[in-house]
Amino acid sequence: METALVFGEELPKEALRLELAGERVRLGQESFEATRSAEAARLAERVKGREVLLVPDADTFLVQVSELLVVLRDSAEKVWLKHPDAPVAYPLVLRDEAGFRAWLEEVAPGKLRIIMRADGFELTTSVGKLPGPDPNGPSVPVRGGRQDLATLRRGLGLLKGRFKTSEDLCLVPSFGTEVAQAARALSGTYSAPGEPWFDELCFVFPTPRGARDGG
C-alpha cells in the first residue's frame, strides 16, 4: 500500500456500487459480463440515469473493462472510481481512444495529461512535457517500485500555475494497468481532500474489441 496521503472526494452515498472482477461486474446479487451484448444491454438499463461507483479489485486490468466503461459512459448519469485503500472516490469523464484524440484536437490551452507508464508518470502538455530527473525518462519516476504521488502533486501544481485557464486533466494509463493502480494514481490529482487541481478529470480507456453475442 502506498505511504503517501490519499486525497479524493467523499464516497457518493446514492451511487450504485459496481464491484469489478475481471470481465465481470457485480451489482448487488446480479453479475454482468459487458463483453456479451445482451448482458451489456441489461446493465445499461440498470445504470441508466444513475450515479455509479466502480469498486476495483486487485487483479482486474483496464483492458478487461473497456466494454463496461462504454456502457457506463453512454448510460450512467455520473461515474465514480473508488480508491482501493481508502474511503474516497473520483468523479470521471470517460473517454475511449477516439474521444481522447478529439479532446486533444480541441482549441484550448494546456491539454494537460498524465501518461501512466510502468516506470512512472509523464506529465504532458500542448507545448511539451514536464521534464524529470532523467531527460529520457518519465517526469515522475516510480520510487522503490511505488507511485510517487507527492512529486506528481507538485508537478501538477506547477502546470496549474502555468496554464491557469485549463479546467480539465486526462489520466491516460497503459492499457495493461490494473484498475486499482490507476485509481491510486488519481489521488495525486488532488492538492488536498476534496480539492482537485482541475475541475474535470478525464479517464482514458482502450477502445473495445467488440461485444460478443449471447447472454
Side-chain angles (χ1 to χ4, degrees), residues 89-111:
Y90 308 96
L92 303 178
V93 174
L94 298 174
R95 291 192 174 100
D96 61 10
E97 293 164 90
F100 177 56
R101 288 193 297 270
W103 176 79
L104 287 175
E105 291 170 0
E106 293 174 356
V107 180
K111 290 302 166 187

Side-chain angles (χ1 to χ4, degrees), residues 1 17 29 38 41 43 48 51 58 74 77-78 81 83 106 109 120 133 135 139 142 173 183-184 189 193 202 204 209:
M1 184 184 297
R17 183 183 177 98
Q29 299 301 312
L43 179 60
K48 186 175 181 179
E51 287 194 49
D74 294 345
E77 174 70 22
K78 191 171 186 178
L81 179 60
H83 194 287
E106 293 174 356
S139 307
V142 296
R184 290 185 176 99
T189 68
C202 145
V204 179
R209 301 176 295 262

Side-chain angles (χ1 to χ4, degrees), residues 31-159:
S31 179
F32 302 87
E33 186 175 340
T35 56
R36 297 183 179 276
S37 56
E39 295 192 33
R42 285 198 300 118
L43 179 60
E45 283 300 313
R46 290 297 311 275
V47 303
K48 186 175 181 179
R50 297 289 302 274
E51 287 194 49
V52 168
L53 175 66
L54 276 181
V55 182
D57 62 1
D59 304 315
T60 296
F61 293 89
L62 188 59
V63 71
Q64 293 178 286
V65 298
S66 55
E67 289 87 355
L68 169 65
L69 295 180
V70 168
V71 171
L72 299 182
R73 179 198 64 192
D74 294 345
S75 301
E77 174 70 22
K78 191 171 186 178
V79 178
W80 298 76
L81 179 60
K82 185 185 178 299
H83 194 287
D85 310 315
V88 297
Y90 308 96
L92 303 178
V93 174
L94 298 174
R95 291 192 174 100
D96 61 10
E97 293 164 90
F100 177 56
R101 288 193 297 270
W103 176 79
L104 287 175
E105 291 170 0
E106 293 174 356
V107 180
K111 290 302 166 187
L112 311 179
R113 59 260 192 206
I114 305 168
I115 311 299
M116 186 177 176
R117 307 176 353 187
D119 59 349
F121 302 111
E122 183 172 302
L123 303 184
T124 303
T125 78
S126 56
V127 293
K129 77 168 193 171
L130 189 72
D134 178 356
N136 298 315
S139 307
V140 184
V142 296
R143 288 182 179 271
R146 295 181 177 180
Q147 299 172 351
D148 186 355
L149 297 183
T151 301
L152 175 61
R153 287 186 182 116
R154 287 196 293 271
L156 291 176
L158 291 173
L159 294 180

